[in-house]
Amino acid sequence: MSGRAHLLTALRNRVDIRDLLPSRADYDLRPRTLRSDLLAGVTVGVVALPLALAFGVSSGVGPAAGLVTAVVAGIVAAVFGGSNVQVSGPTGAMAVVLAPIVAQHGLGSVALVTLLGGVMVLACGLLRLGRVVTYIPWPVVEGFTLGIAAIIFLQQVPAAFGVTDETGHNTLLTAIRSIGTALWPWGAVVESHFSRGGVDGGAVDGGMLTWVWTLAVVAVVAAVMLLLPRVARALPASLVAVALVTLIAELSDAPVPRIGELPSSLPFPVLPDATPGAVRDLVGAALAIAALAAIESLLSARVAASMPTETPTGTGPYHPDRELVGQGLASLASGLFGGIPATGAIARTAVNVRSGARTRLAAVVHALVILAVIYLATGPVGRIPLAALAGVLMVTSFRMIGAATIRSVLTSTRPDALTFVVTAVITVAFDLIDAVQIGLLIAAFFALRAVAGSTSVRLEPLPGVAHEGDERIALFRLEGAMFFGASDRILGEVTALTPGSVDVVILRLSHLQLVDATGARALADLVAELERRGVTVLVKGIRPQHRRILEAVGLHRELRHESHLFTALPAAVAFARSHIRQTTSGGR
């Protein structure tokens, strides 16, 4: 097939989007499968309800946005996504990215930035970029996850202490300030013993009572979520914990901040104002959202595809490009309905698989369960203490990455451990996208160093029976990768290993796995340098995939004659010996 035909075939494959669209094969309506999907969907819906509320609050947009996202994005991603069992909605990582955007640009920017991010993710899917996530190293992913978990925990500290007006871009500093604000009444009580004026006793007692209650709520939620699964695994621990503390708070009229009034129906879709200035201001934020949505969704789908199930077919394969299309459409729909950007949620997806989900119908049912709550139970849900949601997220943050995983990364290799730690620290201290970029740079540096270290040059003896004059022939075998990270070293080693008495150098290139432009140029320079010294250079075994780049940099022109290129080593050695005999006899 010609190059033009290859190009036309590739273009047709790019344009053909039939494999990115829903099909009848996505569903299995046999009674047994249908029953499993319905049961799994209800289970995940119950588990997802408090998380949707919590992530909506944590993002700075509000609990209603979390519910809308879980419903609208959950259905759209399930229908159009590339995984049979993926559950999508608001997530902790996306809340972490969205919170500073809301703080900087205001609530009015959420719909537009959600739509922009959705368009970017959709474009990545249509351009078939789903496999890109496989290039992200494991230490970077785990370091990113650890950093996200730390941020989620720190974001809940103000709510856990009953402080509602403490904000800031740095979650660590905000958490520390909120603890100081909460503990101020204790300091005021102590100060009143040493001052004549004293303090407002009512304000002190009220402030102390609030944070004592909120800490108690967090403690009860954490205890129930940690202990209930050991007693009754079938019960949704987070929902039971939230219901229990809400009931206690209502019966005791506890002075704790509540979720507040929620809408009793889905809002109508509305297009946000997309002026050129607004789009320009939010492009960077939308790019960060799109990158996170793509990475998190594809990682979750990949993990879900490998989860063990009771059926021999498992969860089925996942289609990464279709998954990006589904997630892009989900964020677009969520933005139109007043929600926030959505991604695949690994924790809810795991619950879905463990509950027996067979097809994407389970994820649709999960969204319908939350929709039923919006229409039938927003009153009771609005009475949930914010501290209860903080407790749910604090426990969730500890479950995002296990101690065994952290230990595995730290004890693997020093480069991997350093990449993991740096990525986690930068995630917490600076920015998530910066953390991934820097983590990738560190991982790439160590990978390139390892590849460069595996590149070697060896001075080998000539094959066969020794001949007179063999000492004037040097045979070099180059192995590994001849690229920018190793070219200077290889060039120096060959030059240093070539004695002054050598008249012919044979370069064996057949064992080179990779040659880039820098490496090819270095080989051409090496040949030119040796030829200037009066040494005849013979090149043996140029691989077909390397021939074009070596010709482009002029390696062939630096050789004394085009016949000095060989495909077999015996022929190159025979030519070298013949050359030595000719020069020797000519000298006589």
Side-chain angles (χ1 to χ4, degrees):
M1 185 181 290
S2 67
R4 183 179 179 183
H6 275 298
L7 178 61
L8 291 175
T9 302
L11 287 174
R12 278 197 299 269
N13 291 337
R14 290 276 183 180
V15 174
D16 189 1
I17 62 170
R18 285 176 294 180
D19 61 324
L20 303 179
L21 299 176
S23 68
R24 175 65 181 80
D26 293 337
Y27 303 93
D28 183 352
L29 299 181
R30 289 178 297 178
R32 182 177 180 182
T33 303
L34 188 62
R35 187 166 53 251
S36 296
D37 284 338
L38 291 175
L39 179 60
V42 172
T43 302
V44 180
V46 170
V47 171
L49 175 61
L51 292 175
L53 292 167
F55 290 134
V57 173
S58 180
S59 68
V61 184
L67 293 177
V68 169
T69 305
V71 173
V72 177
I75 292 176
V76 174
V79 174
F80 291 93
S83 170
N84 291 329
V85 294
Q86 175 100 292
V87 177
S88 301
T91 62
M94 188 58 71
V96 169
V97 171
L98 197 58
I101 296 174
V102 173
Q104 181 178 355
H105 299 282
L107 280 173
S109 66
V110 173
L112 181 56
V113 79
T114 301
L115 292 177
L116 291 174
V119 169
M120 293 178 183
V121 176
L122 176 61
C124 289
L126 295 175
L127 292 173
R128 311 281 179 168
L129 300 179
R131 297 290 179 186
V132 172
V133 72
T134 59
Y135 297 117
I136 301 178
W138 177 55
V140 175
V141 173
E142 296 301 341
F144 175 79
T145 304
L146 178 60
I148 289 290
I151 292 176
I152 291 174
F153 182 89
L154 292 171
Q155 281 182 336
Q156 309 318 308
V157 171
F161 280 88
V163 178
T164 57
D165 57 351
E166 197 71 53
T167 59
H169 293 292
N170 190 291
T171 53
L172 178 59
L173 296 179
T174 302
I176 294 172
R177 284 198 302 266
S178 64
I179 294 174
T181 301
L183 295 179
W184 172 83
W186 288 105
V189 170
V190 174
E191 183 182 355
S192 67
H193 288 289
F194 299 96
S195 64
R196 295 180 180 179
V199 294
D200 184 350
V204 171
D205 292 341
M208 291 172 58
L209 188 60
T210 297
W211 75 260
V212 169
W213 263 104
T214 54
L215 279 181
V217 167
V218 171
V220 172
V221 168
V224 172
M225 289 184 66
L226 295 174
L227 298 177
L228 184 61
R230 301 181 182 182
V231 180
R233 291 186 67 88
L235 294 177
S238 59
L239 186 65
V240 171
V242 170
L244 176 62
V245 296
T246 302
L247 180 62
I248 294 173
E250 286 294 294
L251 294 177
S252 58
D253 195 23
V256 293
R258 313 298 178 107
I259 287 178
E261 186 177 355
L262 292 171
S264 57
S265 63
L266 280 180
F268 286 102
V270 177
L271 276 173
D273 292 332
T275 63
V279 172
R280 186 171 55 252
D281 291 341
L282 292 173
V283 163
L287 183 61
I289 286 174
L292 176 62
I295 292 170
E296 190 173 19
S297 299
L298 291 176
L299 288 176
S300 176
R302 188 172 68 179
V303 171
S306 62
M307 287 181 178
T309 63
E310 296 179 357
T311 59
T313 56
T315 62
Y318 79 102
H319 193 311
D321 298 320
R322 182 178 169 184
E323 182 62 27
L324 290 181
V325 170
Q327 293 298 336
L329 292 174
S331 287
L332 284 171
S334 179
L336 292 175
F337 280 88
I340 61 178
T343 75
I346 183 61
R348 276 156 276 176
T349 300
V351 172
N352 196 33
V353 174
R354 288 198 300 265
S355 300
R358 307 285 180 82
T359 72
R360 57 194 70 224
L361 179 62
V364 174
V365 171
H366 128 273
L368 295 178
V369 169
I370 299 176
L371 180 63
V373 171
I374 292 177
Y375 278 92
L376 302 175
T378 52
V381 170
R383 298 300 299 167
I384 295 175
L386 291 174
L389 302 182
V392 170
L393 291 184
M394 283 180 165
V395 175
T396 301
S397 68
F398 275 97
R399 291 174 173 172
M400 288 182 67
I401 182 170
T405 301
I406 296 175
R407 187 164 52 250
S408 297
V409 181
L410 293 178
T411 56
S412 54
T413 65
R414 287 185 179 179
D416 288 333
L418 178 62
T419 303
F420 170 75
V421 171
V422 170
T423 304
V425 170
I426 294 177
T427 300
V428 176
F430 297 101
D431 180 77
L432 281 79
I433 303 303
D434 289 343
V436 173
Q437 292 173 344
I438 294 174
L440 286 173
L441 287 175
I442 295 174
F445 168 77
F446 284 118
L448 289 174
R449 192 177 73 166
V451 172
S454 66
T455 303
S456 64
V457 56
R458 289 191 295 172
L459 181 60
E460 295 186 326
L462 297 180
V465 179
H467 290 63
E468 182 182 356
D470 278 359
E471 69 279 0
R472 297 167 60 187
I473 303 172
L475 172 61
F476 291 103
R477 173 173 171 171
L478 280 66
E479 296 181 319
M482 191 66 179
F483 74 118
F484 65 90
S487 57
D488 284 347
R489 178 172 61 83
I490 298 300
L491 181 63
E493 289 183 11
V494 172
T495 304
L497 289 172
T498 304
S501 58
V502 167
D503 293 323
V504 179
V505 165
I506 303 174
L507 297 177
R508 294 185 66 183
L509 306 184
S510 55
H511 293 276
L512 285 177
Q513 304 299 318
L514 169 69
V515 178
D516 72 352
T518 306
R521 184 65 253 174
L523 285 173
D525 290 343
L526 172 63
V527 172
E529 171 64 22
L530 291 174
E531 293 284 0
R532 277 194 296 269
R533 289 165 48 179
V535 177
T536 300
V537 179
L538 310 179
V539 176
K540 175 266 169 186
I542 296 178
R543 303 180 104 179
Q545 62 267 36
H546 302 155
R547 186 176 302 279
R548 181 177 177 183
I549 191 170
L550 290 172
E551 289 177 351
V553 300
L555 174 68
H556 300 64
R557 292 191 299 271
E558 301 295 347
L559 294 172
R560 193 167 300 177
H561 194 276
E562 61 182 13
S563 64
H564 292 180
L565 289 171
F566 297 88
T567 57
L569 181 60
V573 173
F575 185 94
R577 285 169 171 162
S578 173
H579 179 78
I580 293 298
R581 286 195 299 270
Q582 292 176 9
T583 56
T584 302
S585 61
R588 292 174 183 172

